[in-house]
Amino acid sequence: MGEQGPDGGRGTAYATREAGPAKRVTAKKGAVKKTSAKQAAATETVAGSTATGTTPAGRAPAGGTAEATPAGGSAGEAAANKKSGTGTAPAKKAPAKKADAEKAAGTAPAGRTPAGKTAAKKAPVRRTSAKKTEAGTGAGAAPAGRTSAGKAAAKKAPATGKAASTKPSTAKAASARTSTAKAPAAKALVRRPAAPAKKAVVAPKKATAAIGGLAPAKTVAPKPPRQESRTALVRRARRINRELAEVYPYAHPELDFENPFQLLVATVLSAQTTDLRVNQTTPALFASYPTPEDLAAADPEKVEEILRPCGFFRAKTRSVIGLSKALAEEYGGEVPGRLEDLVKLPGVGRKTAFVVLGNAYGRPGITVDTHFQRLVRRWKWTEATDPDKIEAAVGALFPKSDWTDLSHHVIWHGRRICHARRPACGACPIAPLCPAYGEGETDPEKARKLLKYEKAGLPGQRLNPPRSYLDAGGIPAPPLRAE
């Protein structure tokens, strides 16, 4: 009634009928609201974010059945549209690509149906589970019902697009917050390679591998020290001798003697015993047999009784009586001053001969006793164990004039500090030059307790020491009977 074409002036009702089926929005209480085109878009956005929710067009409310508006609409709706002054153009269908995009974004209009199809047919297709509806409602992007046709439907698409874009924006905001939170960590990861490398702990020089390029320092298993050059060995050996000369300026043979004969006999008796024991024994021997001729004619049993404290008294008795006879018979009772003559005497070897030559005649010689052998091997002067080879190896490191004093320095140091079983490394004056440092006690306080003789404030081995020894604070040894 009253219908006319587009030129008749009543185009609103005609447009409504041509636009396709109109939709009704059912509120929670069943009230139907008819809104203008702009209000419909706002209602769609608000309805998607409210907890009350709306029933999409074409879907029956709870307890009811789906309703569909005839294609022509109603005269009341047309009148209402005309009264509000809103003109509507024929609604355009959304392109298929746009619909697919909306579906992918999860914001496709719930109530849009193709023209000529009823909402009842589409209801099963658009039915959503309760969980999905709640999720959509919580996110504020659930589709809302659409109420008007024509321009209203056309304007709803951009609005819905805005609503759909809310999700990506929210996701972008969340990802931005996450990125901001992770930014320091990522920054640290970037700076870590550029930061200066920590200084590696490097092992001592003896256990350090060569470092090349920019590779970090490495610690390797300890290796034997590099082979010392001949020049370096000579310099180190001579420096050790100079250091010991400052420590023992009073070094001397620790055997009491008044002539070469007494020194020769005392040296033969010192084998396998201490100089102290010899010094306590020889006074009685020389009192009874002062010359080689007297001792050569002595009763062996009486001599053995005197020499008993020295140990190996029978063998030593044979030696002293035999050399005395040789001196009396071959050398006129005098001790020869040549090495080749001395070594021919019974019980006399190179060590004894050098003691006599160096201390009685002033002729240089190296005395290779047990202390001397031990120390030169510790100091890496030689690896030899044979006394003759040790003598030759050490003699090549020093000038001949130093041989006698060198022997005293080494022997004195071995008796007072560098002991065989427990050397006092912590109190050693040549510790920086010693390759064997650390074999003994390195604690200074404990090492001092290991010192002997004058270094520990105790008596020495000689009953009649030289004045230089007494001036340095040395104490004479007590006689044998006083013990």
Side-chain angles (χ1 to χ4, degrees):
M1 171 179 166
E3 273 183 276
Q4 291 189 16
D7 300 331
R10 286 189 293 271
T12 301
Y14 178 81
T16 301
R17 187 171 65 250
E18 291 293 322
K23 308 299 184 294
R24 291 183 182 180
V25 177
T26 307
K28 190 174 181 181
K29 295 181 180 182
V32 179
K33 295 181 180 181
K34 301 178 180 63
T35 59
S36 64
K38 292 182 180 180
Q39 286 178 341
T43 304
E44 180 187 25
T45 304
V46 174
S49 61
T50 55
T52 54
T54 58
T55 303
R59 188 178 295 173
T65 57
E67 296 180 8
T69 306
S74 64
E77 285 181 359
N81 290 338
K82 187 174 182 181
K83 188 177 181 180
S84 62
T86 304
T88 59
K92 297 180 180 179
K93 292 184 180 179
K97 290 185 179 179
K98 189 171 182 181
D100 293 340
E102 289 178 349
K103 285 183 180 181
T107 55
R112 183 177 297 168
T113 55
K117 290 186 179 180
T118 60
K121 287 184 179 179
K122 185 161 182 159
V125 177
R126 298 298 303 165
R127 186 170 293 129
T128 309
S129 62
K131 290 184 180 180
K132 199 166 183 182
T133 305
E134 290 174 3
T137 305
R146 303 224 165 90
T147 52
S148 64
K151 239 178 188 178
K155 288 184 180 181
K156 278 180 189 178
T160 308
K162 276 188 181 179
S165 66
T166 305
K167 258 188 182 180
S169 301
T170 308
K172 283 183 181 179
S175 64
R177 287 194 297 270
T178 308
S179 301
T180 306
K182 290 182 179 179
K187 201 172 184 182
L189 288 175
V190 172
R191 288 182 179 178
R192 187 171 298 166
K198 292 183 179 179
K199 188 176 181 181
V201 178
V202 183
K205 292 183 179 179
K206 292 183 180 179
T208 306
I211 300 173
L214 300 176
K218 297 179 182 179
T219 55
V220 298
K223 295 181 179 179
R226 294 177 60 186
Q227 185 67 31
E228 190 175 26
S229 68
R230 179 69 181 178
T231 303
L233 174 60
V234 170
R235 290 176 178 174
R236 183 169 62 86
R238 294 184 181 184
R239 183 178 175 185
I240 288 176
N241 186 41
R242 291 194 299 269
E243 296 284 345
L244 294 179
E246 295 179 4
V247 177
Y248 310 106
Y250 44 80
H252 59 273
E254 294 190 276
L255 292 171
D256 286 327
F257 67 96
E258 296 177 358
N259 52 60
F261 172 66
Q262 290 184 1
L263 180 58
L264 177 62
V265 172
T267 306
V268 172
L269 296 176
S270 65
Q272 304 298 320
T273 190
T274 64
D275 289 354
L276 174 61
R277 184 61 66 188
V278 173
N279 292 334
Q280 293 172 336
T281 304
T282 53
L285 178 66
F286 296 140
S288 302
Y289 313 100
T291 64
E293 292 82 4
D294 295 332
L295 189 55
D299 183 1
E301 292 183 359
K302 291 182 179 179
V303 176
E304 288 178 1
E305 192 63 29
I306 296 173
L307 301 181
R308 187 178 292 273
C310 293
F312 303 98
F313 58 91
R314 291 188 178 89
K316 291 178 179 180
T317 298
R318 291 192 297 269
S319 295
V320 297
I321 292 177
L323 70 87
S324 297
K325 287 180 179 179
L327 292 175
E329 296 174 359
E330 297 179 15
Y331 299 100
E334 297 292 332
V335 178
R338 295 193 312 168
L339 177 63
E340 53 271 18
D341 294 332
L342 287 171
V343 295
K344 292 178 182 179
L345 300 174
V348 178
R350 291 180 65 89
K351 182 193 83 169
T352 303
F354 279 124
V355 171
V356 174
L357 291 174
N359 297 282
Y361 295 106
R363 295 174 183 175
I366 295 177
T367 304
V368 184
D369 72 342
T370 180
H371 302 290
F372 194 94
Q373 293 183 46
R374 180 179 71 253
L375 266 63
V376 297
R377 284 196 294 268
R378 279 183 177 171
W379 295 337
K380 305 298 182 185
W381 289 1
T382 179
E383 298 294 336
T385 57
D386 181 73
D388 294 343
K389 293 182 179 179
I390 292 173
E391 177 193 332
V394 175
L397 301 175
F398 297 88
K400 196 172 183 178
S401 59
D402 293 346
W403 287 359
T404 301
D405 289 338
L406 170 68
S407 302
H408 292 324
H409 297 155
V410 176
I411 293 171
W412 275 58
H413 188 65
R415 287 173 174 172
R416 285 152 178 79
I417 297 177
C418 195
H419 313 303
R421 294 184 179 179
R422 198 178 178 192
C425 295
C428 181
I430 61 169
L433 302 172
C434 180
Y437 175 78
E439 288 185 5
E441 182 58 61
T442 56
D443 181 77
E445 295 298 328
K446 295 180 180 179
R448 289 193 191 99
K449 297 178 181 179
L450 301 175
L451 303 180
K452 293 183 179 180
Y453 305 118
E454 77 281 353
K455 294 302 180 183
L458 302 174
Q461 299 197 79
R462 290 189 68 169
L463 278 65
N464 300 307
R467 174 53 56 185
S468 59
Y469 180 74
L470 298 175
D471 292 344
I475 304 172
L480 181 61
R481 302 300 178 185
E483 287 184 340

